[in-house]
Amino acid sequence: MSSLPLIGQAVPAFQTRDTKGQLISTKDLLGHPYVLYFYPKDDTPGCTAQACSFRDAKPLFDHSQARVIGVSPDSAASHEKFTAKYGLNFTLIPDSTHQLCEQFGVWQEKMLFGKKGMGVIRTTFLIDSQGVIRWIESPVQVEGHEGRVIEALQHLSAS
């Protein structure tokens, strides 16, 4: 189990496919900042609230030319249903093997309903246009989260 990367470090290199099968890699994402957020499960109350807040704040992310990318262990089919049900307007990446979650140190032991098990620790990374991690929230508090991400993005844009 790896630990979270640190602020100031290069984002761990990855290459994966989004829900639509499009290839996404750290190399392709260079040139603009992006938000990479990890969440436990599609269509659950906290994850839905978080996704909908990112959806609703999209104009603010667009203003900073920042892309939002969500990652969970759900399947591509689950992501497609989640996207359609809530009108999500950003990229989702299925990570059913937990490879990306493990690479970013968010696949950890946790307690759920009194039982220990492995799962995603809700975590958000803000990565700059050069591929360097500039801000992390872990574990994420869903309420007001998109505002904190936008504030961090605005600080990034101002520097």
Side-chain angles (χ1 to χ4, degrees), residues 11-72:
V11 67
F14 66 87
Q15 182 172 318
T16 189
R17 295 200 180 273
D18 68 12
T19 302
K20 296 179 180 4
Q22 297 295 313
L23 194 62
I24 296 178
S25 73
T26 45
K27 200 173 179 182
D28 297 330
L29 293 167
L30 291 174
H32 294 288
Y34 60 100
V35 175
L36 187 64
Y37 85 96
F38 292 84
Y39 64 98
K41 186 155 182 51
D42 289 343
D43 213 3
T44 57
C47 297
T48 299
Q50 185 179 22
C52 290
S53 70
F54 280 130
R55 174 201 66 202
D56 296 346
K58 187 165 188 323
L60 297 171
F61 290 106
D62 289 348
H63 179 74
S64 297
Q65 297 183 335
R67 185 170 177 183
V68 174
I69 302 169
V71 180
S72 82

Side-chain angles (χ1 to χ4, degrees), residues 4-5 11-16 24-26 29 32-39 50 54 61 66-72 90-95 100-101 103-106 120-128 131 133-138 140 145 149 153:
L4 288 178
V11 67
F14 66 87
Q15 182 172 318
T16 189
I24 296 178
S25 73
T26 45
L29 293 167
H32 294 288
Y34 60 100
V35 175
L36 187 64
Y37 85 96
F38 292 84
Y39 64 98
Q50 185 179 22
F54 280 130
F61 290 106
R67 185 170 177 183
V68 174
I69 302 169
V71 180
S72 82
F90 54 87
T91 302
L92 293 180
I93 294 174
D95 188 31
L100 204 53
C101 291
Q103 192 173 356
F104 278 81
V106 302
V120 173
I121 302 300
R122 191 184 308 273
T123 304
T124 299
F125 298 90
L126 174 59
I127 296 110
D128 72 14
I133 298 169
R134 295 298 178 190
W135 183 86
I136 301 170
E137 185 172 325
S138 182
V140 166
H145 178 61
V149 177
L153 184 57

